[in-house]
Structures are given as C-alpha cells and as structure tokens.
Amino acid sequence: MDERPDWARRMVEERAARGWSQTDAVRALMARLPADQVVSSEQDLLRQWKRWEAGESQPTKYRSAIAQTFGTTTGAFFPERGRRDGRAEVLQVSGMDTVDIIARLRASDVDGATLDALRITADRLCCEYAYMPADQLLLEGRAWLARVVGLQHQRISLAQHRELVALAGQLSLLVGCVEYDAGRPRDAEATRQAALMLGQEAGELSVQGWAHEMRAWFALTRGDYRGVIVAAEAGLAVAPNESVAAQLHAQQAKAWARLGDRSQTEVALDKGRQLLERLPYPENIENHFVVDPGKYDFYRMDALRRVGENRIAEQLANQVIRAGTDFDGTERSPMRNAEARVTLGVVAAREGDLDSALAYGEKALAGDRKSLPSLAMVAADLGQALQSHYADASEAQAFIAHLRELRGGQ
C-alpha cells in the first residue's frame, strides 16, 4: 500500500504526465520561483525534490511554486481537509431545526437567529447540490425560496430586507441550476434572470456574477461558444474579484478549447489560477457557489482533454475522482466524477483501448445524480472518439446510439 501523502503521489503523476525527468521538473520549478526565493543550486533542489516525491519531507515554502509549475492552485495541490455539516450548524448557531424555523416564519418572528438559520439552511442546500437527487433538491429549494420571498412582505428592517433579497437570490441560483440539470432550460433561464435581478437589488456582486456564469454554462452546453465568452466577460465586469470570476475564466477556457484556440485556452486557465491564488482558502468548499481549488482541476481537465493533452487530462481525471470520493468509496461529487470518467474513456479510445473506453463511458452514464446537459456535452467527445477510431465496431456504435438518446432526452 502506498502510504505517501496525496501531494507526493501527485507530484510523481504530474511529472510523468508531462514526460519530465526529476531534473526537468526541478528546472521548471526554478523558473517559477520568486526572485527573493533563492536556492543554492539545482542539485540541492533536486535532492529535495526526490525527498518530496518519496513523502519524506514537505515542500512548505515551495508549495505555491510547485502548484504553478503544474498549472494548478496551491489549495488544489495541498488541500485543506474538512467538511461542514450544514444541518448540525443550524442547530449549533441558532438552536433551531427546520420545524422550528418554519414555525418562527409563520409567526412573523424575524430576528437575528432566524436570519442566521435561514442563511445556513441556504448554504446547506447549496452544499447538497453535488449529490442530492435533483427532484428532491428542487422541491426543497423551491419551498425555502417561497418562504424567504414571503418574508419580504412582512414588517422588517431595511437591513433584514436586503439580507432576505440576497438569500432569495442565492436560492434562485440553486433552483435554476437544478432545473437546467433536469433538462428544463426555459424554467432555468427564467430563474437565472430572477436571480440576477435579486442580486442587483441586494447589491450582491457574487449573486450577479453567478447569474452570468449560469448564462455562460447554458451557452456552453448549447454549443454557443462565442456566447460563453460574452457572458463570462459580463460576469467579470460585475464581479472581477469574487471567486466566481475564477469559474468565469474557466468557462471561457472551455469555450476557447472548443473553438480550437490553444493559446487563449491557456491564458484563460492561468487567469483563473492566479485569481484563486490571491483569494483566501474558502471556508466551505462544499458549497456549489464557492470555487474551491480542487474544482479548478476539474475545469482544467475538460479544457486539456479538448485540446488533445491526453496524459495531463488523464492525470487530472484521476485526481478529480480521488478528490471527489470518500475513504469508504462514497462519491461526494458524482457529477464531477462522471465527467472525469468520460475523460478517461476519451483518452482510452484515442489510444486504442475500446473495452476501457466503453467501461468508463458506461459507468459515467450510470450515476443517479447527473447534469444532463453537461454530461451529454462531455460524453459527445467520447462519441466522437469512438466514431473516429471504431466506426466498424458494433459495441462502439451501440454506445454512440445511447449517447444520441441522452442528448435527445435533455
């Protein structure tokens, strides 16, 4: 059993994906060290690198430069572990569970504790986006949205009104995402526009930025790649320093990759990486509307698969699956994992391994929690690879037919 830390194993995998020797990796690292971070010699750093890969010591002061060397963020390469329990936190902060909160709302008793409970409830729902069944999350999200909106008609202070509008905006974003996942684009677009207006009313730049990000996502899955770039630019103009800006850059990278512009793809990815490096590590990385560093690897995986960087895309796909799976095998991020498996399938197909390509593809499509438009878009890459390399294989053609059904059922 390999007992090395995850970051040590990743150093080896990232280096191997690029075909680098340890000396190559050290030279790449030295080129990215800040001017005030001097090493005595290449040989000294090479000795340290070997110890890092073996897990014998930690590269404390070199973490940021190592992450940059491999095109990712410090938080993704050296993650901070921990997961919040939203339901438990509601009780801890306010002393109320769901029944208590609803009772207070019906009694028009909107005090600080009630608002805290509502805020944490909204956060919990956004955390459950990754794995809760879509119909269940949509039902609960709409119910809480109705409760929050209803409070705006009661006698509340201006500060409370602004807080409730912001919460309604956040819940609208969530409901819109789930509607789009479920193949209801018209409902999703109407909800997205409502979220944008609520964000503008509350002065919440993050809500506004995410509303533009949703527009970019919708355009991406429709194949409107220029529309993605325009929507992302609108979001960046509104919220250039919010974490959503990193995801807006990532959506642009996906679009540029599909337009075949390798240079613009790399520029967009690096802009997002630099922004995440400047921001503090997120308090709650489980929230769907928080761009955690590990999520950025997920976006890089997609863009690099599209530009044909098979080895690096494969390495990132394996990293995404590891990061999205608990020690007992439970998948915390089934939708990300599904797209990662599609990536592994694409690489296998391109390299002549039909059986593995089909196995990865079938497992990706088998999950209960999925975003139909996103998965169909990504799976189309696998269909293209199978059609290109296995046009005469009946099992490949059967899988391609399955993909067409998936796209038709959005």
Side-chain angles (χ1 to χ4, degrees):
M1 180 178 177
D2 191 343
E3 296 182 351
R4 290 178 300 167
D6 289 344
W7 53 262
R9 292 197 296 271
R10 183 168 182 180
M11 287 180 72
V12 177
E13 292 171 358
E14 292 272 10
R15 177 173 60 77
R18 290 160 175 78
W20 289 354
S21 67
Q22 290 178 323
T23 299
D24 294 333
V26 165
R27 289 172 179 167
L29 173 62
M30 292 179 72
R32 289 164 177 80
L33 291 176
D36 59 350
Q37 195 169 341
V38 181
V39 294
S40 56
S41 70
E42 179 183 307
Q43 287 303 312
D44 286 343
L45 193 55
L46 178 59
R47 282 191 289 270
Q48 290 187 66
W49 187 281
K50 291 178 178 179
R51 294 185 66 201
W52 296 334
E53 286 195 358
E56 296 173 356
S57 65
Q58 296 189 25
T60 306
K61 67 178 181 179
Y62 294 102
R63 290 186 175 194
S64 178
I66 290 171
Q68 183 183 357
T69 298
F70 294 123
T72 188
T73 64
T74 307
F77 216 102
F78 304 95
E80 299 177 20
R81 299 299 181 189
R83 180 172 182 172
R84 289 166 51 184
D85 183 341
R87 295 179 189 271
E89 193 171 356
V90 172
L91 283 168
Q92 180 182 352
V93 172
S94 66
M96 290 181 278
D97 59 15
T98 298
V99 174
D100 296 325
I101 299 170
I102 295 173
R104 280 218 173 180
L105 297 181
R106 287 175 176 167
S108 302
D109 188 3
V110 184
D111 56 11
T114 305
L115 283 174
D116 284 341
L118 285 171
R119 190 183 309 111
I120 298 167
T121 298
D123 182 76
R124 169 182 62 82
L125 290 171
C126 292
C127 292
E128 292 175 344
Y129 171 84
Y131 55 86
M132 182 182 284
D135 55 351
Q136 180 183 344
L137 184 57
L138 189 57
L139 184 66
E140 191 169 353
R142 284 175 169 170
W144 280 106
L145 177 58
R147 291 166 188 146
V148 170
V149 170
L151 285 177
Q152 297 180 57
H153 303 296
Q154 298 179 10
R155 296 178 62 182
I156 54 177
S157 69
L158 287 175
Q160 287 176 327
H161 175 76
R162 182 182 182 279
E163 176 82 10
L164 289 171
V165 171
L167 283 171
Q170 185 177 2
L171 288 167
S172 296
L173 291 172
L174 175 66
V175 169
C177 285
V178 182
E179 287 172 336
Y180 199 70
D181 287 341
R184 301 166 64 174
R186 291 184 180 178
D187 291 343
E189 174 58 20
T191 307
R192 184 198 71 81
Q193 291 184 24
L196 178 59
M197 289 186 289
L198 289 165
Q200 290 169 340
E201 181 181 346
E204 285 289 325
L205 299 183
S206 180
V207 171
Q208 295 175 53
W210 280 108
H212 288 293
E213 191 278 338
M214 288 172 65
R215 178 184 161 204
W217 170 36
F218 297 173
L220 184 72
T221 58
R222 293 195 306 267
D224 178 12
Y225 305 134
R226 296 292 177 183
V228 176
I229 296 165
V230 170
E233 288 297 337
L236 289 167
V238 171
N241 299 311
E242 302 289 326
S243 70
V244 64
Q247 190 145 321
L248 289 163
H249 286 304
Q251 295 288 27
Q252 286 188 322
K254 284 187 172 187
W256 284 121
R258 285 162 171 78
L259 288 168
D261 194 323
R262 174 68 176 267
S263 176
Q264 290 286 4
T265 300
E266 293 178 349
V267 167
L269 285 174
D270 196 55
K271 285 181 177 178
R273 183 195 64 78
Q274 290 184 47
L275 176 64
L276 283 179
E277 287 287 16
R278 293 196 300 269
L279 295 174
Y281 195 86
E283 179 185 352
N284 182 11
I285 63 172
E286 305 296 333
N287 189 310
H288 179 64
F289 300 106
V290 170
V291 183
D292 67 279
K295 191 175 186 179
Y296 209 65
D297 281 341
F298 170 70
Y299 281 98
R300 290 178 59 233
M301 172 195 75
D302 178 273
L304 294 176
R305 181 191 69 246
R306 286 290 306 201
V307 299
E309 285 284 359
N310 290 345
R311 292 275 67 81
I312 301 176
E314 179 184 38
Q315 186 275 322
L316 287 169
N318 286 319
Q319 178 63 30
V320 166
I321 292 171
R322 279 197 299 268
T325 307
D326 280 329
F327 68 93
D328 61 356
T330 302
E331 296 200 354
R332 297 193 310 274
S333 305
M335 290 184 287
R336 291 191 208 177
N337 287 2
E339 293 191 29
R341 291 188 176 101
V342 170
T343 295
L344 293 174
V346 170
V347 173
R350 288 172 178 171
E351 297 185 347
D353 187 349
L354 175 60
D355 290 341
S356 293
L358 293 175
Y360 282 126
E362 288 164 359
K363 188 168 185 179
L365 300 184
D368 294 327
R369 181 67 175 101
K370 57 173 70 79
S371 171
L372 289 175
S374 293
L375 184 57
M377 176 190 71
V378 175
D381 287 358
L382 178 53
Q384 291 169 3
L386 292 172
Q387 185 64 42
S388 175
H389 294 85
Y390 307 101
D392 297 327
S394 59
E395 57 267 49
Q397 293 306 310
F399 188 80
I400 292 170
H402 185 190
L403 293 180
R404 291 196 186 104
E405 293 174 4
L406 178 67
R407 293 189 68 84
Q410 291 181 43

